[in-house]
Amino acid sequence: MTEDEILKIFREHSALLEGHFILSSGLHSDRYIQCALVLQHPRVAEQLCVALGPKLGELGAKVVVAPALGGVIVAHEVARALGLRALFTERQNGEMTLRRGFHLDEGEPVLVVEDVITTGKSTRETIECVQNAGGKVVGVGALVDRSGGEVEFDVPKAALVTLKVETYDPDDCPLCKAGKPAVKPGSRPGNSKPAEQS
Ligand SMILES: [Zn+2]
């Protein structure tokens, strides 16, 4: 699938909105990505991860690990596409940990996947967690790299879509200055959960 085809899928599911948004961090942005809205459809989740998997399949991983919650479905579907195990890390007292009896063999090759790479912070924390558990991270994958490809790791990285999403300080936001009303996506009752991106 091409980037345009992937973006079409995101737009069709309102997972990529264009306009003027207030992120949970308080920053303003011209685009908003909510991967949960595409991943809520198992067939679409499968289709996207089947497209992502082969970009990472040559790296020899035995396990796919993602940070919960956003990455869990991505890890599951990428692992399914590649015939691997899928684990997830979760925060305990603010620290990324492998719980639930999840185990990595010493030196076991691992792919770390995410739904969206924004600053790379949660990816880095997951990499560190995998390394502390004895695993060897051989690659990073994401459905969307919204850093415009700027975030890098010490291992190969693959994303289905690379976007440069600008964020603005509300006091210095060109969209505000242009008089465009800003909306908080997912903040209405019964709508999707508030943004977890910064
Ligand atoms: Zn604004």
Side-chain angles (χ1 to χ4, degrees):
M1 278 193 284
T2 64
E3 283 210 353
D4 284 345
E5 287 166 333
I6 307 278
L7 287 171
K8 187 163 172 275
I9 292 173
F10 272 73
R11 287 196 182 97
E12 279 169 1
H13 294 89
S14 304
L16 172 62
L17 302 177
E18 280 137 319
H20 183 194
F21 304 103
I22 305 169
L23 305 177
S24 58
S25 60
L27 294 175
H28 290 196
S29 179
D30 62 348
R31 274 177 291 182
Y32 178 77
I33 298 157
Q34 179 50 278
C35 278
L37 293 179
V38 281
L39 297 175
Q40 71 178 317
H41 302 285
R43 289 216 170 81
V44 180
E46 181 183 30
Q47 188 186 7
L48 293 173
C49 294
V50 160
L52 177 62
K55 292 175 185 277
L56 301 159
E58 312 278 285
L59 300 169
K62 294 272 171 58
V63 191
V64 184
V65 179
L69 277 168
V72 172
I73 292 171
V74 178
H76 190 266
E77 291 298 330
V78 167
R80 195 215 301 261
L82 297 176
L84 308 176
R85 269 159 49 233
L87 315 185
F88 56 85
T89 61
E90 52 201 309
R91 282 185 201 283
Q92 192 173 26
N93 303 322
E95 189 116 340
M96 206 67 101
T97 50
L98 266 183
R99 302 174 69 191
R100 301 171 195 272
F102 285 151
H103 170 83
L104 292 169
D105 288 334
E106 195 59 39
E108 194 168 20
V110 173
L111 290 176
V112 170
V113 299
E114 288 262 20
D115 51 353
V116 182
I117 291 175
T118 303
T119 61
K121 182 169 173 277
S122 62
T123 311
R124 285 203 180 85
E125 288 175 313
T126 306
I127 290 172
E128 205 172 300
C129 176
V130 164
Q131 289 168 340
N132 291 341
K136 181 177 188 291
V137 177
V138 295
V140 169
L143 297 182
V144 180
D145 177 356
R146 44 159 285 188
S147 79
E150 282 170 16
V151 170
E152 288 185 32
F153 307 97
D154 295 337
V155 291
K157 176 186 70 174
L160 283 185
V161 176
T162 300
L163 295 174
K164 179 69 189 157
V165 179
E166 300 292 349
T167 52
Y168 308 105
D169 196 290
D171 294 332
D172 195 30
C173 171
L175 301 163
C176 283
K177 283 178 186 156
K180 270 189 132 192
V183 295
K184 254 192 174 160
S187 60
R188 279 172 295 157
N191 208 328
S192 58
K193 280 176 62 184
E196 283 183 14
Q197 35 193 268
S198 49

